[in-house]
Amino acid sequence: MSERNLILGTLRRAPGVLFVEPGRHLVTQAEVHDRARAERARRGLPASHPYLGWHTQADGFDRSGALVRPQRVYFGGDRAAVARALSLLEPHGFAVLGGRADTEAFVLRRDAAPRRADPALADEWRTRLDVLGDDQSGPVPLRDGEEELLHALIAHPAVRDLHAPAARALRLRGALSPTDLDTVLSPDGLDALRPHGDEAAALVAHALETGHPRARPAATVLAELGRADGRVLNRWKDPAAVRAARAAALEGRQVSTFLDLAAADGADPVSAAVDLAEDIRAAGGEDAAPRVLAAATGLVSRFGGSTRDHALSALRDERVPPWLRAVIADRWTRSPVLAADPSTRPTPETRAAASAWPDTVDAVRAAVGLPPGPGFDPEHRPGRDAAIELREAVVARHLDGLRAALTRPGLSEPALAVLLELLHGANALRAQDLAPFARTWRKRLFVKPDPYTSAPPAVVTYAAALAAQGADTADRVADAVLRDARRWSLPVRLLLLGAVDRGRDADLAAEAELLPHAHGGAEGTQAAAHALALVRARLRGTTPVAAACASVLEAPERPPFVRRGFANVAVSVAEGGSGLWAHHFRRNSVRALEAALRVAGDEDLPAPARRAVLDLADESSALDRTGRSRPENAARLRAEREELRSRLRA
């Protein structure tokens, strides 16, 4: 019997708990809890009945059914009852860790019980030491006589590869002796520690703290190997510690530790950070940029923290050279910074920093000959999402920066997609903004899009913008995309049929082509639904919102997500912007919730479609997240949603 079958069988038979059977249908932790609640209701069990289980991504078994990784076990209800159920596995050679609080998962590990410090039992010791060394879910208590065995194991020269994990087990329990350190920090012992970098540093830091005579020579060896981390460097009271820390900082590691040591040695930490960044920049190399950024991050921390308030202080400090200020400005502008911050409790300092930040950043960039910035990092997904959420404010404040960002070489397709959407959705794209793509659009814009980008594929917006400007190249671009036969491009081709108005005959043909994709539930369904709504709006002389809502009623009832897809389109086109794409309903977006409530409240639209849109609004979590909306706005939206529920579901 495999270990998997043994564990499953034991837990199925465990009294007093409900075991949620793992399987491919359970992908997230939330789904485990949802399934448990549903199963309790089906069996007529009380709502407090304890349960346990796990999902596929937490599965710790290999194909043969052997437990090869720690198995996290999620639970609800009485924690003690769940612990008793899991303890039934201990006689079968498994250890139960974790579960120290109602919010901490239990962890199952393979276990062993070696009874001698013998090289012949090395495999058993490896298994046991994995359990004893788990400081995330443990530590588990030592068995009777086990501490003496661990000391003996460290003293045995034939199992040097076990010295580090054995020393870790003792260190975590405060039982590591000077004799143990004599062995593991000897020249031969240090050689054996090399594969155990993190534990080697922890042991040397412990030796430094306890004043062991081998500690300083061991710290020197770790520093030469580049493995002396902050724990070692901060305890190593020696000038060599500062030199070792700076060598690590030049590689982008231990920057904060170096600056702490420099300050303790009497140096100005801000100047030390500047010198560090200058040296990294001068040396160059492929990875110079992230190492400079690490130095810049350490520099900002010297102003008291890592928020935008502290970064603003760094930008205003004369010790920081202009080029490094530009690095700091870009790093702390990953997401839009607006004076109208939706945070519920901004401090006066935060408000002042938010108000001053955009102008300060533009001035910093101008000082080194750079154009204004777009107000966010186009390569940063949360920044892109926030820019779409706050699109009107971003375009109003950063129009020139958005246009300048389009000219940056090497931007990814998701970055270009959002920049094009922001500008095109605001009718702010000019012919000269599109000109750089005339020869490069195939390579830069017509690539497999990121499905998680909250904007239409870049090539769709590009073609739509060309058509809106009456450019002769619009039809050529559209024809080239529509002729493409690659499988990934199907949603792009379908979207393009709705995005570009090529006349009534073309729209009639497009409607016929889109209908089976939109109603069939196969690949490209959502793209086809969106395009179909836009095509029908033109053919019927109505708004895209009305066309999408009419399409909800015209769609088949099965599969159910087809009608949901048209409801999603109605929300998307009501949001504003180009209205060219609705990949999904953004549950954490206040903007999407507001659009859904507008559609659901429009009495000129059919009630069944409005109810379908209200279903989407009910899924929104935007109002549950701190800082997403001002309290008064959140209260208004909650009341509006509740009022619509009573009207549409009476």
Side-chain angles (χ1 to χ4, degrees), residues 107-119:
V107 176
L108 283 179
R109 280 182 172 273
R110 294 177 66 186
D111 202 2
R115 300 187 180 280
R116 303 185 311 279
D118 187 338

Side-chain angles (χ1 to χ4, degrees), residues 80-101:
V82 174
R84 286 193 296 272
L86 290 170
S87 69
L88 298 174
L89 295 167
E90 291 175 343
H92 298 289
F94 300 99
V96 181
L97 294 82
R100 293 166 292 189

Side-chain angles (χ1 to χ4, degrees), residues 222-545:
L222 282 191
E224 291 171 351
L225 294 172
R227 294 185 177 179
D229 64 12
R231 293 169 294 181
V232 173
L233 296 171
N234 281 318
R235 292 171 175 81
W236 188 14
K237 307 302 182 183
D238 191 284
V242 181
R243 295 193 297 272
R246 194 175 198 280
L250 286 169
E251 297 178 358
R253 300 179 293 107
Q254 306 300 329
V255 173
S256 181
T257 298
F258 162 62
L259 296 178
D260 286 342
L261 292 174
D265 202 38
D268 172 19
V270 172
S271 298
V274 169
D275 291 343
L276 180 69
E278 295 273 17
D279 287 350
I280 294 171
R281 183 192 189 203
E286 291 184 2
D287 62 342
R291 288 185 286 126
V292 166
L293 185 58
T297 303
L299 185 155
V300 169
S301 72
R302 298 301 112 176
F303 290 87
S306 58
T307 69
R308 193 171 292 115
D309 307 17
H310 306 108
L312 187 62
S313 297
L315 294 186
R316 292 169 170 171
D317 195 292
E318 292 299 324
R319 291 171 292 178
V320 183
W323 75 269
L324 191 53
R325 293 185 204 180
V327 172
I328 294 170
D330 285 348
R331 168 59 182 82
W332 268 265
T333 315
R334 302 189 79 186
S335 291
V337 182
L338 303 167
D341 194 316
S343 174
T344 53
R345 294 185 180 89
T347 65
E349 294 80 11
T350 299
R351 285 188 182 277
S355 179
W357 186 262
D359 288 339
T360 304
V361 169
D362 284 351
V364 164
R365 291 177 62 85
V368 293
L370 294 173
F376 67 101
D377 181 356
E379 296 292 6
H380 181 53
R381 178 176 291 165
R384 294 195 299 261
D385 290 346
I388 292 293
E389 184 77 1
L390 303 168
R391 59 191 311 146
E392 290 86 4
V394 170
V395 173
R397 175 58 185 80
H398 299 287
L399 178 58
D400 291 340
L402 292 167
R403 288 169 170 164
L406 271 182
T407 67
R408 294 181 187 177
L411 281 182
S412 66
E413 191 275 343
L416 291 169
V418 169
L419 291 170
L420 287 167
E421 164 63 18
L422 289 170
L423 290 167
H424 179 57
N427 295 315
L429 267 178
R430 305 166 302 180
Q432 58 263 45
D433 300 325
L434 300 177
F437 301 106
R439 295 186 178 183
T440 62
W441 69 267
R442 291 176 186 271
K443 291 183 178 180
R444 299 191 64 197
L445 307 181
F446 191 26
V447 297
K448 187 175 183 179
D450 177 0
Y452 298 104
T453 302
S454 300
V459 73
V460 172
T461 309
Y462 176 63
L466 288 173
Q469 294 176 8
D472 295 338
T473 54
D475 283 340
R476 289 202 297 272
V477 170
D479 287 340
V481 172
L482 293 173
R483 286 196 304 270
D484 191 83
R486 289 171 292 184
R487 183 174 177 179
W488 65 258
S489 74
L490 175 62
V492 179
R493 286 179 268 139
L494 295 173
L495 278 173
L496 200 61
L497 293 174
V500 178
D501 183 356
R502 307 178 78 186
R504 183 172 181 80
D505 289 344
D507 277 345
L508 288 170
E511 183 179 32
E513 182 177 346
L514 290 165
L515 204 56
H517 289 283
H519 288 183
E523 189 176 2
T525 295
Q526 186 61 64
H530 200 106
L532 185 59
L534 298 182
V535 167
R536 283 175 167 172
R538 292 195 293 265
L539 289 173
R540 300 175 183 182
T542 187
T543 66
V545 172

